[in-house]
Amino acid sequence: MTKRAPQPCCLGHTPSPSPAPRPPAAATASPSRRARPGRPRLTPEELRDRLADYCTRYSLALNDDGLPPFPAGQRETVQHREWMSLYKAHRRLSTRGPDAADLERRQELLSAQHARCVVCRKPLDLEDARADGQAADAAVLHARCLELVALARALGPEALERARSRI
Ligand SMILES: [Zn+2]
C-alpha cells in the first residue's frame, strides 16, 4: 500500500455542494391547466370552508379582500402559519382567473352564437366574451357592446330612441 494518493485536505478538495438546479416552486408556478399529481386542485368551495373554519376558531370576520385580517404580532405561531396558508391559497385561486364553470358556460353560449357577438355581430373569441345574464336569453358580448346594452338599460328605451335620432 502506497500513500501516493493525495489526502483530501479539508478546504481544497471537498467539492463545494452546489445546489441542485430546481425551479423555485412558488415563484414560477403558473396557473397551468395540467393537474399536478400529489396536489389536489383547490376549489373555491374548499377555500371558503377553510376560511370559515379559521374565522370561527379565531372569532374573526373576512375583510373586503375576502381574507381574515393579518394576525399582526402573531409571528411564528400556528395562527400565523394558517393565515399564510390561506393567503397563498386565496392568491392561487384569484390568479387562476374565472372559474372553470363560468368559462364553460361562456364557451357554450359562444358556440351557440357561432362565435359572434349578439350586438355588433362581429367575431368574438372566448377571451373577450362577456356574459350578459340579465336578459331573458343569456348571451356573450364584447365588453364594449355589453356596456352599450347596460347603458341603454339604465337610460331606458326613450333615451335610446333619442340617441338613435342622433346617429
Ligand atoms: Zn360586439
Side-chain angles (χ1 to χ4, degrees), residues 23 62 81:
L62 298 181
R81 272 200 300 279

Side-chain angles (χ1 to χ4, degrees), residues 116-124 141-146:
R116 287 188 181 266
C117 172
V118 290
V119 169
C120 67
R121 303 277 187 202
K122 288 182 179 154
L124 178 62
L141 294 69
H142 290 108
R144 286 180 59 199
C145 297
L146 183 56

Side-chain angles (χ1 to χ4, degrees), residues 19-41:
R22 241 177 62 191
T28 56
S30 64
S32 94
R33 257 153 233 254
R34 259 184 315 159
R36 275 186 293 174
R39 185 181 192 172
R41 201 164 158 80

